[in-house]
Amino acid sequence: MKTTITKRVTFCAGHRLFNPQFSDEKNLIVFGECANPNGHGHNYVLEVSVTGAVDPETGMIISLKDLKAVIDSEIVSRIDHKNLNLDVDFLRGLIPTTETLANKIWEILDARFAGGMLTRIVLWESENNRFEVTR
Amino acid sequence: MKTTITKRVTFCAGHRLFNPQFSDEKNLIVFGECANPNGHGHNYVLEVSVTGAVDPETGMIISLKDLKAVIDSEIVSRIDHKNLNLDVDFLRGLIPTTETLANKIWEILDARFAGGMLTRIVLWESENNRFEVTR
Amino acid sequence: MKTTITKRVTFCAGHRLFNPQFSDEKNLIVFGECANPNGHGHNYVLEVSVTGAVDPETGMIISLKDLKAVIDSEIVSRIDHKNLNLDVDFLRGLIPTTETLANKIWEILDARFAGGMLTRIVLWESENNRFEVTR
Amino acid sequence: MKTTITKRVTFCAGHRLFNPQFSDEKNLIVFGECANPNGHGHNYVLEVSVTGAVDPETGMIISLKDLKAVIDSEIVSRIDHKNLNLDVDFLRGLIPTTETLANKIWEILDARFAGGMLTRIVLWESENNRFEVTR
Amino acid sequence: MKTTITKRVTFCAGHRLFNPQFSDEKNLIVFGECANPNGHGHNYVLEVSVTGAVDPETGMIISLKDLKAVIDSEIVSRIDHKNLNLDVDFLRGLIPTTETLANKIWEILDARFAGGMLTRIVLWESENNRFEVTR
Amino acid sequence: MKTTITKRVTFCAGHRLFNPQFSDEKNLIVFGECANPNGHGHNYVLEVSVTGAVDPETGMIISLKDLKAVIDSEIVSRIDHKNLNLDVDFLRGLIPTTETLANKIWEILDARFAGGMLTRIVLWESENNRFEVTR
């Protein structure tokens, strides 16, 4: 029996999808309307899941407040209301697709939770498109 | 007894909120993190409501397909995956808040539906913030 | 200050949209894929709103249980898991669009609530299409 | 053309529905399982709508930040994670149904917004039950 | 670290649940109101998940556009606005429960994605009932 | 290929989080506003997932009606509209966090489904906080 706690947070950001090594034509073929030069943006939803034993003294794996504090300081404060191409250090030099953003969020949070406690993150870029990272 | 049909569509766009006649400091006070120079973005949800008599031959006020076609050609095609500050003709010279976007969408659609049939539009910029225009 | 109570219920049903006085070709033009001869169906969501004074003895306009009982007996029991073209007495001879279904639901419920207490019904046929009847 | 801004917030609270002047039997008939002596609770969703002119200097009716600050200080801070029967001054002596809570929230907020700007509040006690106050 | 992309699509269809080898009485016991002879229907939500490496040139596992095109041509175009008992080749001779529909969708899509990339499909028939197929 | 059926139900309950062996001060630090002496409450959403073979005679793993009957009799009837600290036998002596409630629900349901058919339960206490138990 494994118990997992999941915290959901939201943020919004702008981005433009293009590879500077591609021609404009190829960028349009690969990225479609997401290659629009002036960029666009999304409301993102992020779910972070941590698995572990429930402490009988508190009835908790980790407090929701502490979990939210980590997500806010490590992730949300660095990307909320930002431009993912220009404003975010950990995306420098990368194409800021939601797949890539999800992978980087996983790497940052996995380093903060000891013993492989982080077991899943899910990142929605719209109600119809989402991305998930698991161990 | 009044019958109203409502079509819901979604789009995404980027924007930055600032008044060029304000100082940077004042922009930050008025618009907060929305004034971030490199912009951010949202997934928007738009609902368009048309009120009228149900035609007994078709059981419809207006066909959902026709209603969607008007919304797509007049609105969605001009703002989806666009930068609202730079790419949208009908927002030129305006601060692209969601209030202002909602008002402009109303004006455009109201001109397309004869006899005051357009009775409400609702525009969400996030799950917690929405704007509504009625007659 | 007006106070309104709204109850939300769900049901599912099958239907086919066509006018027997139209040619097959015209039915296809008017109703599109909804004219498919073997029919299709939907999950519907119905919201019923009643406006009135709050009784200080109970803190209620009408009890949610009583409101649900009326909706279930008058509406849901007659259309849930039914074929709207064939199984529903109050739709006999009508094209079972959601507009028409909404109007008939309004008529039935309006007769059950004295003094114009019924103030709105909303009927969704999908997450993107809904219909509303008001006084 | 009227433009309305709506802010959505959430809170949770406990309550018990009973009228101390009713017998236990009558409380059970009127309030059903909501009369359970040890109480229960809900997650509530509150939407507050303010209607007014859009200021061309800011593109806003009122800033979302200011609107949220009023809702938080006047309402959420007084009822979130509270027992509505015991902990809330403005419900003292009342049966804390969601109708009554909605009416009291309206009275408090209407006093804070000049010139009848407050035009609607909606209060959900569950995904199927909601209450609305309008002018 | 495994990265998964999920695309959500919707469609609607009609069906009737019954086993022609059962008596009417047994069909009613087993399938309840779903055995209603004239059928009913649902709005379905389908989520398709594909797991794989993120291509550093594009930042993608597979493009959302390509993923949607496969789902639309292989699945949605064959069942949307259709009667699952009568109109769908791959359900011929089967009882069109949502379990069975989910299993057939899995088989069709699994054959289209090389190397076991398809890792999960989820199929909702209503907000309270869903079915999932995994490897 | 594994097929899983999931049933979603909702209930509401009251609770207070505190450890009687902690000082008031420590309870406030550990449980925050959830330690409020008069308690609060939530709307909970519970999803129960059962994995198994689809019976070709019925097209089902287990009927949704039977699955719901088990969840209602074993779980919902014992906690809906109840106070989790005072009214629920299987939580006696425990701190009624949602983690602990989820674990107890798992234990009760796992004993009712032979052969490890129960594969996941998910329990939401709010739209942003959820807990999951798997084998």
Side-chain angles (χ1 to χ4, degrees):
Chain A
M1 183 171 119
K2 285 186 298 182
T3 311
T4 297
I5 178 174
T6 297
K7 184 76 198 173
R8 175 186 180 273
V9 300
T10 61
F11 60 92
C12 62
H15 74 162
R16 181 199 168 195
L17 300 187
F18 72 109
N19 184 331
Q21 297 181 316
F22 288 175
S23 66
D24 284 359
E25 200 178 26
K26 184 159 182 196
N27 272 315
L28 198 64
I29 290 166
V30 173
F31 299 107
E33 56 195 358
C34 296
N36 170 29
N38 294 316
H40 60 287
H42 294 293
N43 300 334
Y44 295 84
V45 177
L46 172 65
E47 290 184 348
V48 176
S49 296
V50 167
T51 301
V54 175
D55 179 341
E57 281 225 320
T58 62
M60 299 177 186
I61 297 171
I62 178 178
S63 94
L64 283 158
K65 209 170 94 181
D66 292 348
L67 178 54
K68 186 165 194 306
V70 171
I71 301 170
D72 282 349
S73 68
E74 294 289 333
I75 307 297
V76 176
S77 66
R78 294 158 83 180
I79 53 182
D80 187 28
H81 282 82
K82 295 294 194 316
N83 181 310
L84 301 181
N85 298 74
L86 301 174
D87 296 332
V88 181
D89 56 354
F90 65 77
L91 292 172
R92 197 96 352 133
L94 299 171
I95 304 169
T97 59
T98 307
E99 293 90 318
T100 293
L101 179 58
N103 281 350
K104 299 307 286 184
I105 290 173
W106 172 273
E107 285 174 17
I108 293 167
L109 291 179
D110 192 34
R112 280 296 307 266
F113 291 100
M117 283 184 77
L118 183 73
T119 47
R120 185 178 58 227
I121 70 162
V122 185
L123 185 60
W124 273 260
E125 71 179 25
S126 74
E127 65 190 25
N128 293 327
N129 301 335
R130 74 167 189 262
F131 301 90
E132 198 174 324
V133 188
T134 54
R135 203 159 290 279
Chain B
M1 184 172 115
K2 285 188 298 182
T3 311
T4 297
I5 178 174
T6 297
K7 184 74 197 174
R8 175 187 181 272
V9 300
T10 62
F11 60 92
C12 62
H15 74 161
R16 180 199 169 196
L17 299 187
F18 72 107
N19 183 333
Q21 297 180 315
F22 289 174
S23 66
D24 284 0
E25 202 177 24
K26 185 162 181 194
N27 272 315
L28 199 63
I29 290 167
V30 173
F31 298 108
E33 56 195 358
C34 297
N36 170 29
N38 293 316
H40 60 286
H42 294 293
N43 301 332
Y44 294 85
V45 177
L46 171 65
E47 290 184 348
V48 176
S49 296
V50 168
T51 300
V54 175
D55 178 342
E57 280 224 321
T58 62
M60 299 176 188
I61 298 170
I62 179 179
S63 94
L64 282 158
K65 209 170 95 181
D66 292 349
L67 178 53
K68 187 166 194 306
V70 172
I71 302 170
D72 281 348
S73 69
E74 293 290 333
I75 307 296
V76 176
S77 66
R78 293 158 83 180
I79 53 181
D80 187 28
H81 282 83
K82 294 294 194 317
N83 181 310
L84 301 180
N85 297 75
L86 301 173
D87 297 332
V88 180
D89 55 354
F90 65 77
L91 292 171
R92 198 98 350 135
L94 300 170
I95 304 170
T97 59
T98 307
E99 292 88 320
T100 294
L101 179 57
N103 280 350
K104 300 307 286 185
I105 290 173
W106 172 273
E107 286 174 16
I108 293 168
L109 291 179
D110 192 35
R112 281 294 309 266
F113 291 101
M117 284 183 76
L118 183 72
T119 46
R120 185 180 57 227
I121 70 161
V122 185
L123 185 60
W124 274 259
E125 71 181 23
S126 74
E127 66 190 23
N128 294 327
N129 301 335
R130 74 166 190 263
F131 302 89
E132 199 173 324
V133 188
T134 55
R135 201 160 293 278
Chain C
M1 182 171 118
K2 286 188 297 183
T3 311
T4 297
I5 178 174
T6 297
K7 185 73 197 174
R8 175 186 181 272
V9 300
T10 62
F11 60 92
C12 63
H15 74 163
R16 180 198 170 197
L17 300 186
F18 72 108
N19 184 333
Q21 297 180 314
F22 289 174
S23 65
D24 285 359
E25 200 177 25
K26 184 161 181 194
N27 272 315
L28 199 63
I29 290 167
V30 172
F31 298 108
E33 55 195 359
C34 296
N36 170 29
N38 293 316
H40 61 286
H42 295 293
N43 301 333
Y44 295 86
V45 178
L46 172 64
E47 289 184 348
V48 176
S49 296
V50 168
T51 302
V54 175
D55 179 341
E57 280 225 320
T58 62
M60 300 177 185
I61 298 171
I62 179 177
S63 93
L64 283 158
K65 209 170 96 181
D66 293 348
L67 179 52
K68 185 165 195 307
V70 171
I71 302 170
D72 282 349
S73 69
E74 293 289 334
I75 307 296
V76 176
S77 66
R78 294 158 84 181
I79 53 181
D80 187 28
H81 282 84
K82 294 294 195 317
N83 181 310
L84 300 181
N85 298 74
L86 301 173
D87 296 332
V88 181
D89 56 353
F90 65 77
L91 293 172
R92 197 94 356 131
L94 300 171
I95 304 169
T97 58
T98 307
E99 292 89 320
T100 293
L101 179 57
N103 280 350
K104 299 308 285 185
I105 290 173
W106 172 273
E107 286 174 17
I108 293 167
L109 291 179
D110 192 35
R112 282 293 310 265
F113 291 100
M117 283 184 78
L118 184 72
T119 46
R120 187 180 56 226
I121 70 162
V122 185
L123 185 59
W124 273 260
E125 71 180 22
S126 74
E127 65 190 26
N128 294 327
N129 302 334
R130 75 167 189 262
F131 302 89
E132 199 173 324
V133 188
T134 55
R135 200 159 294 278
Chain D
M1 182 170 119
K2 286 187 297 182
T3 311
T4 297
I5 178 174
T6 297
K7 184 76 197 173
R8 175 187 180 273
V9 300
T10 62
F11 60 93
C12 62
H15 74 161
R16 180 199 170 197
L17 300 186
F18 73 109
N19 184 331
Q21 297 181 314
F22 289 174
S23 65
D24 285 359
E25 201 178 24
K26 184 161 181 194
N27 272 315
L28 199 64
I29 290 167
V30 173
F31 298 108
E33 55 195 358
C34 296
N36 170 30
N38 294 316
H40 60 287
H42 294 293
N43 301 333
Y44 295 85
V45 178
L46 172 65
E47 290 183 348
V48 176
S49 296
V50 168
T51 301
V54 176
D55 179 341
E57 280 225 321
T58 61
M60 300 177 186
I61 298 170
I62 179 178
S63 94
L64 283 159
K65 210 170 95 181
D66 292 349
L67 178 53
K68 186 165 194 306
V70 171
I71 302 169
D72 282 349
S73 69
E74 294 289 334
I75 307 296
V76 176
S77 66
R78 294 158 83 180
I79 53 182
D80 188 28
H81 283 82
K82 295 293 194 318
N83 181 310
L84 301 180
N85 298 74
L86 301 174
D87 297 332
V88 181
D89 55 354
F90 64 77
L91 293 171
R92 198 96 351 134
L94 300 170
I95 304 169
T97 58
T98 307
E99 293 89 320
T100 294
L101 179 56
N103 281 350
K104 299 308 285 185
I105 291 173
W106 171 273
E107 286 174 17
I108 293 167
L109 291 179
D110 192 34
R112 281 295 308 267
F113 292 101
M117 283 184 78
L118 184 72
T119 47
R120 186 179 57 226
I121 69 161
V122 185
L123 185 59
W124 274 259
E125 71 181 24
S126 74
E127 65 189 25
N128 294 327
N129 302 336
R130 74 167 189 262
F131 302 88
E132 198 173 324
V133 188
T134 54
R135 203 159 290 279
Chain E
M1 183 172 117
K2 287 188 297 184
T3 311
T4 297
I5 178 174
T6 297
K7 184 76 198 173
R8 176 186 180 273
V9 300
T10 62
F11 59 93
C12 62
H15 75 163
R16 181 199 169 197
L17 299 187
F18 73 107
N19 184 331
Q21 297 180 315
F22 289 174
S23 65
D24 284 1
E25 200 179 25
K26 184 160 182 196
N27 272 315
L28 199 63
I29 291 167
V30 173
F31 299 107
E33 56 195 358
C34 296
N36 170 29
N38 293 317
H40 61 286
H42 294 293
N43 301 334
Y44 295 86
V45 177
L46 171 65
E47 290 184 347
V48 175
S49 296
V50 167
T51 301
V54 175
D55 179 341
E57 280 224 320
T58 62
M60 299 176 185
I61 297 171
I62 179 178
S63 94
L64 282 159
K65 209 171 96 182
D66 292 349
L67 178 53
K68 186 166 194 306
V70 171
I71 301 170
D72 281 349
S73 69
E74 294 290 333
I75 306 297
V76 176
S77 66
R78 294 158 82 181
I79 53 183
D80 187 29
H81 283 83
K82 295 294 195 317
N83 181 310
L84 300 180
N85 298 76
L86 301 172
D87 297 332
V88 181
D89 56 353
F90 65 78
L91 292 172
R92 196 100 348 136
L94 299 170
I95 304 169
T97 59
T98 307
E99 293 89 320
T100 293
L101 179 56
N103 281 349
K104 299 309 285 185
I105 290 173
W106 172 274
E107 286 174 16
I108 292 166
L109 291 180
D110 193 34
R112 280 296 306 266
F113 291 101
M117 283 184 77
L118 184 72
T119 47
R120 186 180 57 225
I121 70 162
V122 185
L123 185 60
W124 274 260
E125 72 180 22
S126 74
E127 64 189 24
N128 294 327
N129 302 335
R130 74 167 189 262
F131 302 89
E132 199 173 323
V133 188
T134 54
R135 202 160 291 278
Chain F
M1 182 171 119
K2 287 188 297 184
T3 311
T4 297
I5 178 174
T6 297
K7 185 74 197 173
R8 174 186 180 273
V9 300
T10 61
F11 60 92
C12 63
H15 74 161
R16 181 199 169 196
L17 300 187
F18 72 108
N19 184 332
Q21 298 180 314
F22 289 174
S23 66
D24 284 0
E25 200 179 24
K26 184 162 182 193
N27 273 314
L28 200 63
I29 290 167
V30 172
F31 299 108
E33 55 195 359
C34 296
N36 169 30
N38 294 316
H40 61 286
H42 294 293
N43 301 332
Y44 294 85
V45 177
L46 172 65
E47 290 184 347
V48 176
S49 296
V50 168
T51 302
V54 175
D55 179 341
E57 281 225 320
T58 62
M60 298 176 186
I61 298 171
I62 179 178
S63 93
L64 282 158
K65 209 171 96 182
D66 292 349
L67 178 53
K68 186 165 193 308
V70 172
I71 302 170
D72 281 349
S73 68
E74 294 289 334
I75 307 296
V76 175
S77 66
R78 294 158 83 181
I79 52 181
D80 188 28
H81 282 83
K82 294 294 194 319
N83 181 310
L84 301 180
N85 298 74
L86 301 173
D87 297 332
V88 181
D89 56 353
F90 63 78
L91 292 172
R92 198 97 350 135
L94 299 171
I95 304 169
T97 58
T98 307
E99 293 88 320
T100 293
L101 179 57
N103 281 351
K104 300 308 285 184
I105 290 173
W106 172 273
E107 285 174 17
I108 293 168
L109 291 179
D110 193 34
R112 281 295 308 267
F113 292 101
M117 283 184 78
L118 184 71
T119 46
R120 186 180 56 227
I121 70 161
V122 186
L123 184 60
W124 273 259
E125 71 180 22
S126 74
E127 65 189 25
N128 294 327
N129 301 335
R130 74 167 190 262
F131 301 89
E132 198 174 323
V133 187
T134 54
R135 202 159 292 278

